[in-house]
Amino acid sequence: MASGLGQPQPADLYSSGEVVTRGSEGQEDADPYPCGGASGGLGQAQPAGPYSPEEVGSSPPEQQEDEQPQGSFHMKTAELVMFLLLKYRTKQPISKAQMLEVITPEFQDDFPIILSQASHCLRLVLGLDVIEVDPSEHCYHLNIILGLTWDGMVSGQGGLPKTSLLGLVLGLIVLEDDCAPEEEVWEALRVMEVYDGQEHIIYGEPRDLLTNVWVQEGYLECRLVAGSDPVRYEFLWGPRAHVETSKFQVMDYAFQVSSSLRRPGPFRAFVGPA
């Protein structure tokens, strides 16, 4: 099953239009830097990489001069992700002027790149699309990906959106001819550092999501495999998933996640080692 995510990525549906994509990184809540900025990845120790403190400290001085600005650049991306998540939680409008205040004057020339990376992070890790709703006024809004109407956030209890994992699981089911054995699903989710029975900093207890929450919400069907010993389950799309999204959309999303995980860089770093 995991090998299915390694197939060539189809044309990116989101490289044009209103959705702001392409970039990297993401997290919040337990970690003050959602994009792995100062404290590493999504609940993981920060792996050694082009922006890790270990490597910067051991690099020749001329390399450090090149690396330090990059580290600051990605810190600004992390700060923008935090700001956008706060606006999403409070359902407040977002303006370009507010975002420029977040990234501070010295990075304002880099605003398009920073916004693109922050948008990429929000889309692939948290399942939110950054949409420019009024180009003349430079106003933005965050929407749940793939036309879904559920983000997994419990009102008044904080937490982070869980839609990205739902989109990925729906894509995995399509790859398995619309009926995915649970062992294949867990194997595929390992690339996102999501494990059966292990609490995840963003997604919580993943088995509860797959077998309880998403079933109750109507996004998944969890069916007992007849004659299985020990007992095993398989997953299918639920009626709500069929109504709200399409196989083509979720497959494209799954390939986007897979492509980002295979490439070295900040996105690969904050979701954990390959």
Side-chain angles (χ1 to χ4, degrees), residues 5 15 56 62 67 89 106 116 125 129 149 168 180 191-192 198 210-211 222 232 238 249 268 273:
L5 287 179
S15 58
V56 172
E62 63 274 12
E67 291 166 353
R89 279 178 164 174
E106 63 269 29
S116 178
V125 179
D129 277 330
T149 58
L168 186 57
V191 300
M192 294 292 290
Q198 180 174 318
L210 267 73
T211 63
C222 182
R232 293 186 299 108
Q249 285 179 292
R268 175 64 265 175

PDB file of all heavy atoms in Angstrom, residues 5 15 56 62 67 89 106 116 125 129 149 168 180 191-192 198 210-211 222 232 238 249 268 273:
ATOM      1  N   LEU A   5       1.767   5.394  -2.839  1.00  0.00           N
ATOM      2  CA  LEU A   5       1.954   6.827  -2.725  1.00  0.00           C
ATOM      3  C   LEU A   5       3.184   7.297  -3.457  1.00  0.00           C
ATOM      4  O   LEU A   5       3.410   8.484  -3.589  1.00  0.00           O
ATOM      5  CB  LEU A   5       2.075   7.230  -1.246  1.00  0.00           C
ATOM      6  CG  LEU A   5       0.778   7.171  -0.456  1.00  0.00           C
ATOM      7  CD1 LEU A   5       1.034   7.556   0.966  1.00  0.00           C
ATOM      8  CD2 LEU A   5      -0.272   8.052  -1.080  1.00  0.00           C
ATOM      9  N   SER A  15      -2.067  24.811  -8.729  1.00  0.00           N
ATOM     10  CA  SER A  15      -0.978  25.708  -9.070  1.00  0.00           C
ATOM     11  C   SER A  15      -1.477  26.993  -9.704  1.00  0.00           C
ATOM     12  O   SER A  15      -0.716  27.880 -10.017  1.00  0.00           O
ATOM     13  CB  SER A  15      -0.007  25.007 -10.029  1.00  0.00           C
ATOM     14  OG  SER A  15      -0.689  24.601 -11.194  1.00  0.00           O
ATOM     15  N   VAL A  56      24.361  23.862  11.407  1.00  0.00           N
ATOM     16  CA  VAL A  56      24.827  25.245  11.313  1.00  0.00           C
ATOM     17  C   VAL A  56      26.052  25.456  12.173  1.00  0.00           C
ATOM     18  O   VAL A  56      27.010  26.115  11.798  1.00  0.00           O
ATOM     19  CB  VAL A  56      23.695  26.218  11.740  1.00  0.00           C
ATOM     20  CG1 VAL A  56      24.226  27.628  11.846  1.00  0.00           C
ATOM     21  CG2 VAL A  56      22.555  26.158  10.730  1.00  0.00           C
ATOM     22  N   GLU A  62      31.819  30.597   6.191  1.00  0.00           N
ATOM     23  CA  GLU A  62      31.195  31.108   4.972  1.00  0.00           C
ATOM     24  C   GLU A  62      29.871  30.421   4.680  1.00  0.00           C
ATOM     25  O   GLU A  62      28.942  31.011   4.142  1.00  0.00           O
ATOM     26  CB  GLU A  62      32.141  30.938   3.767  1.00  0.00           C
ATOM     27  CG  GLU A  62      32.487  29.495   3.419  1.00  0.00           C
ATOM     28  CD  GLU A  62      33.679  28.970   4.210  1.00  0.00           C
ATOM     29  OE1 GLU A  62      34.065  29.659   5.187  1.00  0.00           O
ATOM     30  OE2 GLU A  62      34.214  27.911   3.864  1.00  0.00           O
ATOM     31  N   GLU A  67      23.455  30.047   5.669  1.00  0.00           N
ATOM     32  CA  GLU A  67      22.413  29.257   6.307  1.00  0.00           C
ATOM     33  C   GLU A  67      21.579  30.069   7.288  1.00  0.00           C
ATOM     34  O   GLU A  67      20.380  29.873   7.402  1.00  0.00           O
ATOM     35  CB  GLU A  67      23.040  28.051   7.019  1.00  0.00           C
ATOM     36  CG  GLU A  67      23.610  27.014   6.041  1.00  0.00           C
ATOM     37  CD  GLU A  67      24.506  26.014   6.731  1.00  0.00           C
ATOM     38  OE1 GLU A  67      24.782  26.223   7.924  1.00  0.00           O
ATOM     39  OE2 GLU A  67      24.923  25.040   6.086  1.00  0.00           O
ATOM     40  N   ARG A  89      -9.062  29.775  13.789  1.00  0.00           N
ATOM     41  CA  ARG A  89      -9.769  29.361  15.005  1.00  0.00           C
ATOM     42  C   ARG A  89     -10.810  30.392  15.431  1.00  0.00           C
ATOM     43  O   ARG A  89     -11.894  30.045  15.892  1.00  0.00           O
ATOM     44  CB  ARG A  89      -8.767  29.162  16.145  1.00  0.00           C
ATOM     45  CG  ARG A  89      -8.055  27.835  16.118  1.00  0.00           C
ATOM     46  CD  ARG A  89      -7.065  27.780  17.255  1.00  0.00           C
ATOM     47  NE  ARG A  89      -6.624  26.433  17.513  1.00  0.00           N
ATOM     48  CZ  ARG A  89      -5.673  26.135  18.391  1.00  0.00           C
ATOM     49  NH1 ARG A  89      -5.064  27.088  19.066  1.00  0.00           N
ATOM     50  NH2 ARG A  89      -5.313  24.883  18.594  1.00  0.00           N
ATOM     51  N   GLU A 106      11.876  43.655   7.491  1.00  0.00           N
ATOM     52  CA  GLU A 106      13.042  43.163   6.765  1.00  0.00           C
ATOM     53  C   GLU A 106      12.735  41.984   5.848  1.00  0.00           C
ATOM     54  O   GLU A 106      13.531  41.651   4.960  1.00  0.00           O
ATOM     55  CB  GLU A 106      14.168  42.781   7.735  1.00  0.00           C
ATOM     56  CG  GLU A 106      13.866  41.656   8.697  1.00  0.00           C
ATOM     57  CD  GLU A 106      13.296  42.147  10.013  1.00  0.00           C
ATOM     58  OE1 GLU A 106      12.641  43.217  10.006  1.00  0.00           O
ATOM     59  OE2 GLU A 106      13.499  41.482  11.038  1.00  0.00           O
ATOM     60  N   SER A 116       3.500  31.638   0.302  1.00  0.00           N
ATOM     61  CA  SER A 116       3.376  30.397  -0.452  1.00  0.00           C
ATOM     62  C   SER A 116       3.798  29.192   0.378  1.00  0.00           C
ATOM     63  O   SER A 116       3.128  28.152   0.399  1.00  0.00           O
ATOM     64  CB  SER A 116       4.230  30.486  -1.726  1.00  0.00           C
ATOM     65  OG  SER A 116       4.164  29.289  -2.462  1.00  0.00           O
ATOM     66  N   VAL A 125      -0.283  19.650   5.746  1.00  0.00           N
ATOM     67  CA  VAL A 125      -0.151  19.129   7.109  1.00  0.00           C
ATOM     68  C   VAL A 125      -1.424  19.292   7.923  1.00  0.00           C
ATOM     69  O   VAL A 125      -1.761  18.427   8.726  1.00  0.00           O
ATOM     70  CB  VAL A 125       1.030  19.808   7.833  1.00  0.00           C
ATOM     71  CG1 VAL A 125       1.167  19.305   9.257  1.00  0.00           C
ATOM     72  CG2 VAL A 125       2.328  19.563   7.081  1.00  0.00           C
ATOM     73  N   ASP A 129      -6.813  25.329   3.082  1.00  0.00           N
ATOM     74  CA  ASP A 129      -6.397  26.096   1.917  1.00  0.00           C
ATOM     75  C   ASP A 129      -6.472  27.586   2.221  1.00  0.00           C
ATOM     76  O   ASP A 129      -7.483  28.061   2.786  1.00  0.00           O
ATOM     77  CB  ASP A 129      -7.292  25.792   0.711  1.00  0.00           C
ATOM     78  CG  ASP A 129      -6.872  24.532  -0.025  1.00  0.00           C
ATOM     79  OD1 ASP A 129      -5.668  24.209  -0.009  1.00  0.00           O
ATOM     80  OD2 ASP A 129      -7.744  23.871  -0.619  1.00  0.00           O
ATOM     81  N   THR A 149     -16.335  19.368   4.953  1.00  0.00           N
ATOM     82  CA  THR A 149     -16.946  20.325   5.884  1.00  0.00           C
ATOM     83  C   THR A 149     -16.574  20.046   7.337  1.00  0.00           C
ATOM     84  O   THR A 149     -17.113  20.679   8.245  1.00  0.00           O
ATOM     85  CB  THR A 149     -18.483  20.297   5.748  1.00  0.00           C
ATOM     86  OG1 THR A 149     -18.969  18.973   6.011  1.00  0.00           O
ATOM     87  CG2 THR A 149     -18.911  20.722   4.356  1.00  0.00           C
ATOM     88  N   LEU A 168      -5.836  12.055   3.220  1.00  0.00           N
ATOM     89  CA  LEU A 168      -4.857  11.031   2.853  1.00  0.00           C
ATOM     90  C   LEU A 168      -5.462   9.630   2.946  1.00  0.00           C
ATOM     91  O   LEU A 168      -5.270   8.794   2.055  1.00  0.00           O
ATOM     92  CB  LEU A 168      -3.625  11.143   3.755  1.00  0.00           C
ATOM     93  CG  LEU A 168      -2.449  10.237   3.423  1.00  0.00           C
ATOM     94  CD1 LEU A 168      -1.962  10.458   1.995  1.00  0.00           C
ATOM     95  CD2 LEU A 168      -1.309  10.459   4.416  1.00  0.00           C
ATOM     96  N   ALA A 180      -9.803  -0.631   1.572  1.00  0.00           N
ATOM     97  CA  ALA A 180      -8.431  -0.730   2.059  1.00  0.00           C
ATOM     98  C   ALA A 180      -8.348  -1.561   3.343  1.00  0.00           C
ATOM     99  O   ALA A 180      -8.970  -1.205   4.347  1.00  0.00           O
ATOM    100  CB  ALA A 180      -7.860   0.661   2.313  1.00  0.00           C
ATOM    101  N   VAL A 191       4.574   6.942   6.814  1.00  0.00           N
ATOM    102  CA  VAL A 191       5.359   8.016   6.198  1.00  0.00           C
ATOM    103  C   VAL A 191       5.040   9.365   6.827  1.00  0.00           C
ATOM    104  O   VAL A 191       5.826  10.308   6.716  1.00  0.00           O
ATOM    105  CB  VAL A 191       5.149   8.077   4.672  1.00  0.00           C
ATOM    106  CG1 VAL A 191       5.553   6.780   4.015  1.00  0.00           C
ATOM    107  CG2 VAL A 191       3.709   8.437   4.310  1.00  0.00           C
ATOM    108  N   MET A 192       3.876   9.473   7.471  1.00  0.00           N
ATOM    109  CA  MET A 192       3.504  10.702   8.174  1.00  0.00           C
ATOM    110  C   MET A 192       3.771  10.584   9.673  1.00  0.00           C
ATOM    111  O   MET A 192       3.302  11.413  10.454  1.00  0.00           O
ATOM    112  CB  MET A 192       2.023  11.003   7.938  1.00  0.00           C
ATOM    113  CG  MET A 192       1.685  11.352   6.498  1.00  0.00           C
ATOM    114  SD  MET A 192       2.369  12.932   5.977  1.00  0.00           S
ATOM    115  CE  MET A 192       1.372  14.079   6.916  1.00  0.00           C
ATOM    116  N   GLN A 198      -0.491   4.933  18.895  1.00  0.00           N
ATOM    117  CA  GLN A 198       0.448   5.952  19.371  1.00  0.00           C
ATOM    118  C   GLN A 198      -0.161   7.336  19.190  1.00  0.00           C
ATOM    119  O   GLN A 198      -0.535   7.722  18.089  1.00  0.00           O
ATOM    120  CB  GLN A 198       1.771   5.859  18.616  1.00  0.00           C
ATOM    121  CG  GLN A 198       2.810   6.880  19.057  1.00  0.00           C
ATOM    122  CD  GLN A 198       4.154   6.653  18.391  1.00  0.00           C
ATOM    123  OE1 GLN A 198       4.615   5.523  18.258  1.00  0.00           O
ATOM    124  NE2 GLN A 198       4.782   7.723  17.952  1.00  0.00           N
ATOM    125  N   LEU A 210     -10.000   6.642  12.866  1.00  0.00           N
ATOM    126  CA  LEU A 210     -10.375   5.749  11.774  1.00  0.00           C
ATOM    127  C   LEU A 210     -11.599   4.895  12.087  1.00  0.00           C
ATOM    128  O   LEU A 210     -12.450   4.674  11.217  1.00  0.00           O
ATOM    129  CB  LEU A 210      -9.199   4.838  11.411  1.00  0.00           C
ATOM    130  CG  LEU A 210      -8.296   5.335  10.282  1.00  0.00           C
ATOM    131  CD1 LEU A 210      -7.429   6.483  10.759  1.00  0.00           C
ATOM    132  CD2 LEU A 210      -7.419   4.220   9.735  1.00  0.00           C
ATOM    133  N   THR A 211     -11.681   4.380  13.295  1.00  0.00           N
ATOM    134  CA  THR A 211     -12.728   3.400  13.600  1.00  0.00           C
ATOM    135  C   THR A 211     -13.926   3.987  14.335  1.00  0.00           C
ATOM    136  O   THR A 211     -14.953   3.314  14.453  1.00  0.00           O
ATOM    137  CB  THR A 211     -12.151   2.250  14.449  1.00  0.00           C
ATOM    138  OG1 THR A 211     -11.689   2.775  15.707  1.00  0.00           O
ATOM    139  CG2 THR A 211     -10.999   1.570  13.734  1.00  0.00           C
ATOM    140  N   CYS A 222     -16.177   1.312   8.412  1.00  0.00           N
ATOM    141  CA  CYS A 222     -15.202   0.373   8.971  1.00  0.00           C
ATOM    142  C   CYS A 222     -15.884  -0.996   9.050  1.00  0.00           C
ATOM    143  O   CYS A 222     -16.809  -1.197   9.841  1.00  0.00           O
ATOM    144  CB  CYS A 222     -14.757   0.844  10.349  1.00  0.00           C
ATOM    145  SG  CYS A 222     -13.514  -0.191  11.131  1.00  0.00           S
ATOM    146  N   ARG A 232      -9.746  -8.474  11.933  1.00  0.00           N
ATOM    147  CA  ARG A 232      -9.205  -7.368  11.142  1.00  0.00           C
ATOM    148  C   ARG A 232     -10.361  -6.593  10.518  1.00  0.00           C
ATOM    149  O   ARG A 232     -11.469  -7.107  10.383  1.00  0.00           O
ATOM    150  CB  ARG A 232      -8.274  -7.884  10.037  1.00  0.00           C
ATOM    151  CG  ARG A 232      -7.002  -8.523  10.531  1.00  0.00           C
ATOM    152  CD  ARG A 232      -6.070  -8.882   9.363  1.00  0.00           C
ATOM    153  NE  ARG A 232      -6.687  -9.840   8.459  1.00  0.00           N
ATOM    154  CZ  ARG A 232      -7.122  -9.553   7.228  1.00  0.00           C
ATOM    155  NH1 ARG A 232      -7.037  -8.320   6.765  1.00  0.00           N
ATOM    156  NH2 ARG A 232      -7.646 -10.491   6.467  1.00  0.00           N
ATOM    157  N   GLY A 238     -17.300   6.577   3.289  1.00  0.00           N
ATOM    158  CA  GLY A 238     -18.638   6.713   3.827  1.00  0.00           C
ATOM    159  C   GLY A 238     -19.488   7.618   2.948  1.00  0.00           C
ATOM    160  O   GLY A 238     -18.985   8.282   2.034  1.00  0.00           O
ATOM    161  N   GLN A 249     -10.088  14.406  -6.670  1.00  0.00           N
ATOM    162  CA  GLN A 249      -9.547  15.413  -5.758  1.00  0.00           C
ATOM    163  C   GLN A 249      -8.665  14.786  -4.680  1.00  0.00           C
ATOM    164  O   GLN A 249      -7.570  15.281  -4.398  1.00  0.00           O
ATOM    165  CB  GLN A 249     -10.683  16.196  -5.103  1.00  0.00           C
ATOM    166  CG  GLN A 249     -11.363  17.210  -5.999  1.00  0.00           C
ATOM    167  CD  GLN A 249     -12.491  17.914  -5.277  1.00  0.00           C
ATOM    168  OE1 GLN A 249     -13.523  17.319  -4.950  1.00  0.00           O
ATOM    169  NE2 GLN A 249     -12.305  19.188  -5.008  1.00  0.00           N
ATOM    170  N   ARG A 268       9.814  18.077   4.513  1.00  0.00           N
ATOM    171  CA  ARG A 268      10.249  16.731   4.919  1.00  0.00           C
ATOM    172  C   ARG A 268      10.759  16.752   6.346  1.00  0.00           C
ATOM    173  O   ARG A 268      10.500  15.831   7.126  1.00  0.00           O
ATOM    174  CB  ARG A 268      11.339  16.262   3.959  1.00  0.00           C
ATOM    175  CG  ARG A 268      12.000  14.918   4.299  1.00  0.00           C
ATOM    176  CD  ARG A 268      11.049  13.755   4.251  1.00  0.00           C
ATOM    177  NE  ARG A 268      10.473  13.425   5.550  1.00  0.00           N
ATOM    178  CZ  ARG A 268       9.559  12.509   5.732  1.00  0.00           C
ATOM    179  NH1 ARG A 268       9.065  11.828   4.728  1.00  0.00           N
ATOM    180  NH2 ARG A 268       9.104  12.261   6.931  1.00  0.00           N
ATOM    181  N   PRO A 273      11.559  11.992   9.897  1.00  0.00           N
ATOM    182  CA  PRO A 273      12.452  11.344   8.969  1.00  0.00           C
ATOM    183  C   PRO A 273      11.737  10.390   8.037  1.00  0.00           C
ATOM    184  O   PRO A 273      10.690   9.866   8.363  1.00  0.00           O
ATOM    185  CB  PRO A 273      13.428  10.580   9.883  1.00  0.00           C
ATOM    186  CG  PRO A 273      12.637  10.363  11.138  1.00  0.00           C
ATOM    187  CD  PRO A 273      11.743  11.565  11.284  1.00  0.00           C
TER     188      PRO A 273
END
